[in-house]
Amino acid sequence: MTVDRMKQYFRNRELGLQCTVSEYAVLLPLVEHRGKLCLLYETRAETLVGHQPGEVCFPGGRREKGEKPVDTALRETWEELGIPAGDIEVIAPLDVVQDISDRVIYPFLAAITPEGTEKLQASEAEVKNTFFVPLDYLLDYEEEVYRYPVRFEADDSFPFERMGFPKDYPWRSGWMDVPIYEYEGHFIWGLTGRMTRWLLDHLRAMAETWEEEEP
């Protein structure tokens, strides 16, 4: 073990987030539908086991070894929706998401070509249905936001006494927001709701910037 070996290792590795158990990537697909710019969502098949069946989500999945996150998002979109990478323009990576189970999600905003939209064919094994939600609708929506506490709970096996700390040690706690959007009987919530909310906040900020720059 030498400093030179450490330089070689750490300077050539891709940065990530510490304590990550698994990595995923998703695509936030923008689609022109019936004359409106929309976000494309899917509902997971009810037959999926251990993958939150029946919930609304964006296309995406687990990152494979040696795969770049953007390639994961494109591959999963192809596998789930039948839209090839050639019909997808990746606009930009968005802020990375880490949830309380130490999963990390890499979201990418992308535009689907009209040809890609026509090729849309959801995988029966993974997708129950797909639907389009106009951005104008989401931007005007009075979202519901619920909050729940995230706290550390230590049992008797935690070595407080050995470490010299009291059992009522003031652990830091936090909160998790759960935004909910409803559209034609579909409920967008959880991590998908959080990513949707993040995008909408930035679209509003973008619009305000443009208004300030206009003469």
Side-chain angles (χ1 to χ4, degrees):
M1 188 68 65
T2 66
V3 171
D4 285 340
R5 287 284 180 90
M6 293 182 191
K7 288 179 182 178
Q8 183 179 2
Y9 176 80
F10 286 106
R11 289 179 179 177
N12 292 288
R13 66 179 295 275
E14 180 182 340
L15 293 180
L17 290 177
Q18 292 186 24
C19 303
T20 298
V21 172
S22 53
E23 295 182 318
Y24 296 78
V26 300
L27 203 73
L28 279 64
L30 294 168
V31 177
E32 287 282 351
H33 181 68
R34 296 179 180 175
K36 294 184 177 181
L37 188 58
C38 303
L39 277 172
L40 168 60
Y41 293 88
E42 62 181 63
T43 305
R44 294 189 181 96
E46 299 286 355
T47 53
L48 288 175
V49 178
H51 294 281
Q52 299 163 308
E55 291 188 15
V56 170
C57 64
F58 290 116
R62 184 187 289 268
R63 182 183 180 187
E64 295 182 355
K65 186 176 181 179
E67 193 175 46
K68 293 181 179 179
V70 66
D71 294 329
T72 301
L74 293 171
R75 173 181 55 77
E76 290 285 347
T77 301
W78 161 248
E79 293 176 0
E80 295 175 13
L81 302 180
I83 302 174
D87 288 311
I88 301 173
E89 179 189 357
V90 176
I91 297 171
L94 307 181
D95 286 0
V96 175
V97 180
Q98 184 175 26
D99 69 6
I100 57 175
S101 62
D102 288 330
R103 291 182 304 169
V104 117
I105 300 100
Y106 299 90
F108 294 87
L109 182 64
I112 309 298
T113 66
E115 294 78 15
T117 306
E118 291 177 3
K119 295 172 186 174
L120 172 60
Q121 186 172 359
S123 164
E124 292 183 4
E126 298 189 61
V127 181
K128 179 179 179 180
N129 56 46
T130 60
F131 59 98
F132 306 92
V133 185
L135 276 180
D136 288 344
Y137 173 89
L138 290 169
L139 287 165
D140 293 337
Y141 190 89
E142 292 187 14
E143 66 185 18
E144 303 171 61
V145 181
Y146 297 88
R147 304 192 82 197
Y148 65 89
V150 179
R151 300 190 182 95
F152 177 83
E153 294 184 3
D155 58 24
D156 291 338
S157 66
F158 196 86
F160 284 110
E161 186 173 336
R162 183 155 53 94
M163 294 167 60
F165 290 96
K167 287 189 175 182
D168 60 350
Y169 179 83
W171 294 95
R172 289 185 179 181
S173 60
W175 295 86
M176 185 68 71
D177 280 355
V178 184
I180 298 176
Y181 303 85
E182 182 179 1
Y183 181 75
E184 296 184 349
H186 300 285
F187 288 90
I188 302 163
W189 65 293
L191 283 173
T192 304
R194 288 170 57 192
M195 287 185 278
T196 298
R197 184 189 193 190
W198 185 98
L199 176 62
L200 296 174
D201 286 344
H202 281 265
L203 291 177
R204 293 187 187 101
M206 181 185 72
E208 290 176 2
T209 301
W210 284 355
E211 290 175 0
E212 292 173 359
E213 292 177 352
E214 289 180 355

